[in-house]
Amino acid sequence: MSSTAVRPSRPQSSSNKQQGKNGATPKRAQQVYDFADYQKALRTAGSADALRGLLGGKGANLAEMNSLGLPIPNGFVITTEACKAYLASKGKFPPGMWEEVTAALKKLEKATGKKLGDPKQPLLVSCRSGAKFSMPGMMDTVLNIGMTDEVAASLAEKTGDERFAFDSYRRLVQMYGRVVLGVPDEAFDVPLQKARAARRVDNDAELPAEDLRMLTAQFKDVVKQHTKKPFPSDPMEQLRLAIEAVFDSWNGKRAFDYRKAAGIPHDLGTAVNIVTMVFGNMGERSATGVATTRDVTTGAPEIEGDFLINAQGEDVVNGTRTPLRIAEMAIWAPKLWKEFQRYCVLLEKHYRDVQDVEFTVEDGKLWMLQTRNAKRTAQAAIRIAVDLARQKRITKEEAVLRVSPEHVDYFLHPQFDAAARAEAAKAGGALLAKGLNVSPGAAIGQVAFDADLAEEWAKKEGKQVILVRLETKPDDVHGMLAAQGVVTSRGGRTSHAALVARQFGKPAVVGALSLEVDVEARRMSGQGGVVVHEGEWVSIDGTTGEVFLGKLPTVVPDVADEHLLQLLSWADAARDLGVWANSDYGRDAERARRFGAEGIGLCRTEHMFFEADRLPIVQAMILAKDEDERAEHLQKLLPLQRSDFAELFRAMDGLPVTIRLIDPPLHEFLPDHDRLMRETTELLTRLELHAGDESAMTTSLREHQKMLAKVDDLREQNPMLGLRGVRLGIHMPDLVRMQVRAIFEAACDQAASGVVVHPKIMIPLTTTAEELNVERGILEKEAKAVMKEQGCKVKYQFGTMIEIPRAALVADRLAEHAEFFSFGTNDLTQTTFGISRDDAETGFLTEYLQKGILADNPFATIDQDGVGQLMRWAIEKARTTRADIDTGICGEHGGDPRTIAFCDRIGLDYVSCSPFRIPIARLAAAQAALLRKAKADKVVTPAKALPKKAAAKK
């Protein structure tokens, strides 16, 4: 985190060494490594992954590029261990570190023939962060360290380019003032804007030398005004404070927010890279750029990126100048372009993944400054993984592991309706702007012009937000994470906004030049002069780079991407878990099958009862005065249920269909008690006042009173633990008998038509073997009667849901009467924790998560220590009774990747989830199996004596 005041100048010497036993000085771990020390550092770390942890990704890769013979500037790395020690000691360099830095600096001076602060042969260096995991722009960087008045004058004379010398100097003062000394950006922006306005130019590259000399002086005055101290003229002090600033930036807000969103641990620390400066701002033969070895928006196999002539690195990513496409480098410098292409191919082959590289051309010489695995969109991630596997660069299994479930989720997100887009275009005025399509997907939201407001609206008010900025800065990351999408009027494909949006799957449009953003006035204007104020709705399409006024309708896409289908086929070959769907209707089942479902794991029959044409019949059945009247209404429901089940059997021809019998308490099908009471009271009052048609009101009053009496009769203190599930089936057997009759009549009818049916009848909420035995006896008798009537035989199974802890504890006894178990983990979580989901998620659960009492929402990912242990216990016990019992999970957890991995480990047969989670579950199940088997290959331990397949999966 950058300081908000001048850092106190404190002694960092660490010459007082601690004495070990017998007076010996314990050997300290090396804290600084030269880029040429790659092999030594690798031996110290023990593995390439550990090396990244020690030197950070940037430092490790620079050292590795050096060993590959690529042209990189000389430099050295301060380790992450030094950073962690610095932070732990509240801002003191660890013993010996500064001495190692000064020794490494002397070695660097000898190698370059230059010296830090020497006007005759000045050495200038950059100080850059570099964590184990890439965090683009989230921590601090300082360029041109070592620049002083004397050095600037000497450089101007030596190079004959005063403009270059003072452009470099003013950049140091500006960047150092902001990053190290805590001077706000705006303090530097104002004089810079005035200089550009006076010259009537658009960017800094057009300012002459005299203006840059003047700006350097003005910037130094700004520093003195804000810090009450002059800008440091001692290069060693510049270097020391810059190192502190980079260390401190590990704990900055933007870095913390980024790590939290990306799932990066907070205890890794950052390395610091001290690198000899090479200059892209030395004139028209110099340039700087950022590129990826493939298109990270689409995945296409072509180099993608931006570069700027006569510029330094931050100019490319901060959006202040519009960059050139990287392909234009072939026109500007054909030989350099071919050289650069060779390096891109080499790096991609070496790292076996798409690389994000930074480079500088200094007076016609190409220097490679960084490489790292590139951030990419979901679409690109899948295509790249598949293409690399097809090219034999990686295995199919590696391809499956490289794509995250979130990447697959992108293909299931809504996209803008093409017809609506065409109509909007035809109507005119709806298209506000067109920019670069840097992160695909559709997003709709209310415009917010600053990151704090975007976060506040999204988190506190629950609004959908589109963050609109001139260009984003690292300090905007919290607003970007909260927003549905991002729009900037400046910047290119490698700008900060583009990198962060791709990393977190946010639709984004950058470089929308026709948008005039006025942050102060809280408005923007687009094509045709259309003005949009803060809070108004816009729609953005990150796939096409378009920004529309208002809310465009969206459609749900089908999973038809060729690369995704290929990846999922590889995933299917790798996984052990089956993937089934929770589907209540034929149309859902059809979609689930298209998405790859291998069966239906849960059909909730009560959902069918809530249909508008059925609810009155269900209510009449509940209100029936005797069994004969109830039977009359059940007879009306029978053909409706039969039709429902026939649709499911047709959609899942040849696959199992698990139908859960009615589960909720009957009061859920009747009007709310308080509402009925209120309406009844109002009717009584109106009758007393003779206000209205008394005959109609009297009839309505009788109906309300009848309904209210029944609701009172059914009312329970805790209905979710009352008369529901198997208890309701035993109490009202005619209802569940009707459902089973409908299932088997539909099955026989469809079987006669050539459909292969596999009905699985699931009895919910059982807690004892006795009640399951009684209920199964009633239902199986009905099933056999139907098959006898129809003259057909259908292979079927009866099973139960495990939703109550007692059911898990007596699973061996339940298995005597059940051919399958399905874990209903929503209710199992509620009953295990003793909490109501609805109340907890709107109440104390949020506080528990914020305070770290619970690491995860147990309704989002399975509680492995509690609920998970009950599941494991139930499976083990059940298989002692029935070795071939089928086990699955059908709660919402079935689509959660971490839960799926747990289900794989404990030996479940399948997971069942919503149709739109099917592709995600297929990938997650494959990844779980591959990682489990890889771990077993590394550490072979005797399998615990578990029945059936559980032992094989341990």
Side-chain angles (χ1 to χ4, degrees), residues 1-4 7 83 86-87 129 131 135-141 178-179 243-261 264-270 455 473-478 481:
M1 185 187 311
S2 300
S3 172
T4 53
R7 296 168 186 273
C83 173
Y86 168 88
L87 295 173
S129 62
M135 297 167 55
M138 295 303 111
M139 290 177 290
D140 287 332
T141 291
R178 177 177 57 80
V179 168
I243 293 170
E244 289 182 16
V246 174
F247 277 164
D248 286 335
S249 70
W250 174 258
N251 283 334
K253 182 181 186 304
R254 63 179 187 259
F256 182 86
D257 289 344
Y258 186 97
R259 291 197 300 272
K260 186 176 179 183
I264 297 172
H266 295 298
D267 60 355
L268 300 178
T270 181
E455 184 180 53
K473 299 178 180 179
D475 290 335
D476 292 325
V477 69
H478 59 293
L481 293 172

Side-chain angles (χ1 to χ4, degrees), residues 5 162 230 298 347 384 521 554 688 704 785:
E162 185 183 17
T298 66
L347 288 169
I384 289 166
T554 58
E688 290 173 0
H704 272 70

Side-chain angles (χ1 to χ4, degrees), residues 94-227:
M97 190 205 91
W98 186 244
E99 287 82 353
E100 287 189 52
V101 168
T102 55
L105 181 62
K106 287 180 181 177
K107 185 177 177 182
L108 180 61
E109 290 174 335
K110 184 177 180 180
T112 59
K114 300 176 182 179
K115 187 173 181 181
L116 194 70
D118 181 3
K120 295 180 180 178
Q121 293 293 332
L123 172 67
L124 300 181
V125 297
S126 63
C127 179
R128 308 178 76 188
S129 62
K132 178 178 181 180
F133 300 104
S134 176
M135 297 167 55
M138 295 303 111
M139 290 177 290
D140 287 332
T141 291
V142 182
L143 305 179
N144 306 333
I145 293 170
M147 185 71 80
T148 64
D149 291 348
E150 296 77 14
V151 168
S154 173
L155 273 178
E157 183 180 350
K158 279 179 172 294
T159 61
D161 189 345
E162 185 183 17
R163 190 196 178 284
F164 155 69
F166 281 93
D167 184 41
S168 300
Y169 197 4
R170 69 92 187 170
R171 286 174 186 271
L172 169 68
V173 179
Q174 183 178 4
M175 189 176 288
Y176 197 95
R178 177 177 57 80
V179 168
V180 180
L181 304 177
V183 180
D185 284 342
E186 295 76 14
F188 297 111
D189 289 342
V190 171
L192 197 55
Q193 288 168 359
K194 286 182 178 178
R196 287 197 296 253
R199 293 286 179 178
R200 298 183 180 179
V201 297
D202 294 327
N203 61 69
D204 310 346
E206 299 175 272
L207 293 175
E210 58 264 33
D211 287 6
L212 294 170
R213 181 191 285 272
M214 177 189 68
L215 280 170
T216 302
Q218 289 178 340
F219 284 179
K220 290 165 76 173
D221 289 341
V222 165
V223 168
K224 190 170 184 179
Q225 289 169 11
H226 279 80
T227 66

Side-chain angles (χ1 to χ4, degrees), residues 387-702:
D387 284 351
L388 287 174
R390 286 172 172 170
Q391 294 162 7
K392 309 297 184 185
R393 302 264 187 95
I394 60 176
T395 65
K396 293 174 183 177
E397 291 77 15
E398 285 177 300
V400 168
L401 289 170
R402 284 195 180 181
V403 174
S404 74
E406 291 75 20
H407 289 146
V408 176
D409 192 31
Y410 156 76
F411 285 89
L412 307 171
H413 281 193
Q415 305 292 320
F416 288 134
D417 180 66
R421 180 201 300 278
E423 283 299 315
K426 194 183 299 181
L431 181 65
L432 284 173
K434 189 167 176 62
L436 299 175
N437 54 334
V438 295
S439 188
I444 302 169
Q446 295 172 267
V447 172
F449 288 111
D450 69 73
D452 291 337
L453 182 64
E455 184 180 53
E456 180 183 343
W457 277 2
K459 291 188 175 180
K460 294 183 180 178
E461 301 182 33
K463 291 181 178 180
Q464 291 178 279
V465 181
I466 300 294
L467 178 64
V468 178
R469 303 284 287 159
L470 287 167
E471 71 269 345
T472 65
K473 299 178 180 179
D475 290 335
D476 292 325
V477 69
H478 59 293
M480 297 178 70
L481 293 172
Q484 300 294 310
V486 180
V487 177
T488 68
S489 60
R490 301 174 185 167
R493 294 183 183 276
T494 54
S495 63
H496 173 265
L499 290 172
V500 175
R502 281 196 290 266
Q503 165 76 359
F504 294 105
K506 300 285 184 182
V509 178
V510 305
L513 299 177
S514 60
L515 272 186
E516 294 185 11
V517 179
D518 189 336
V519 175
E520 294 297 320
R522 319 304 284 184
R523 69 186 180 204
M524 65 179 178
S525 59
Q527 290 181 187
V530 176
V531 177
V532 180
H533 295 89
E534 193 161 59
E536 292 190 59
W537 289 86
V538 295
S539 302
I540 72 169
D541 191 333
T543 306
T544 63
E546 293 171 305
V547 182
F548 296 92
L549 180 65
K551 296 191 279 187
L552 290 186
T554 58
V555 293
V556 177
D558 264 343
V559 181
D561 179 83
E562 183 262 329
H563 293 90
L564 176 59
L565 294 176
Q566 177 67 83
L567 185 84
L568 290 176
S569 73
W570 293 340
D572 291 340
R575 62 183 165 88
D576 295 325
L577 276 171
V579 177
W580 297 13
N582 299 341
S583 299
D584 304 329
Y585 303 99
R587 60 182 180 274
D588 293 334
E590 289 169 0
R591 178 182 288 118
R593 188 159 191 168
R594 286 199 306 273
F595 288 175
E598 298 163 318
I600 289 179
L602 176 63
C603 165
R604 293 151 290 206
T605 55
E606 64 270 8
H607 284 191
M608 302 163 177
F609 287 172
F610 284 107
E611 293 285 321
D613 61 336
R614 302 162 193 217
L615 187 57
I617 304 173
V618 175
Q619 291 177 341
M621 181 269 296
I622 295 170
L623 296 171
K625 60 181 180 294
D626 54 38
E627 290 186 7
D628 289 340
E629 185 179 342
R630 178 176 296 119
E632 179 185 333
H633 296 302
L634 288 173
Q635 197 61 32
K636 294 177 184 176
L637 286 172
L638 176 62
L640 299 174
Q641 285 264 271
R642 184 169 60 233
S643 174
D644 295 331
F645 301 141
E647 279 187 19
L648 292 173
F649 289 137
R650 283 195 299 272
M652 305 304 288
D653 184 3
L655 299 177
V657 176
T658 308
I659 300 169
R660 183 182 72 185
L661 302 177
I662 188 167
D663 182 39
L666 291 179
H667 82 275
E668 288 197 7
F669 300 99
L670 298 177
D672 176 70
H673 177 274
D674 292 344
R675 193 190 102 199
L676 273 175
M677 180 70 81
R678 186 172 61 252
E679 290 175 355
T680 302
T681 303
E682 289 173 357
L683 282 167
L684 281 168
T685 302
R686 291 176 66 193
L687 274 170
E688 290 173 0
L689 296 174
H690 307 287
D693 184 340
E694 294 190 12
S695 175
M697 285 192 293
T698 301
T699 302
S700 180
L701 179 62
R702 289 197 192 101

Side-chain angles (χ1 to χ4, degrees), residues 159 161 164 279-287 310-311 361-363:
T159 61
D161 189 345
F164 155 69
F279 296 96
N281 60 332
M282 289 187 70
E284 295 303 307
R285 282 170 42 84
S286 301
N310 195 19
V361 176
E362 182 184 81
D363 195 26

Side-chain angles (χ1 to χ4, degrees), residues 294-296 299 353-354 376 380-389:
R294 299 188 187 216
D295 187 326
V296 290
D353 202 355
V354 177
R376 61 207 74 177
I382 291 170
R383 176 170 179 177
I384 289 166
V386 169
D387 284 351
L388 287 174

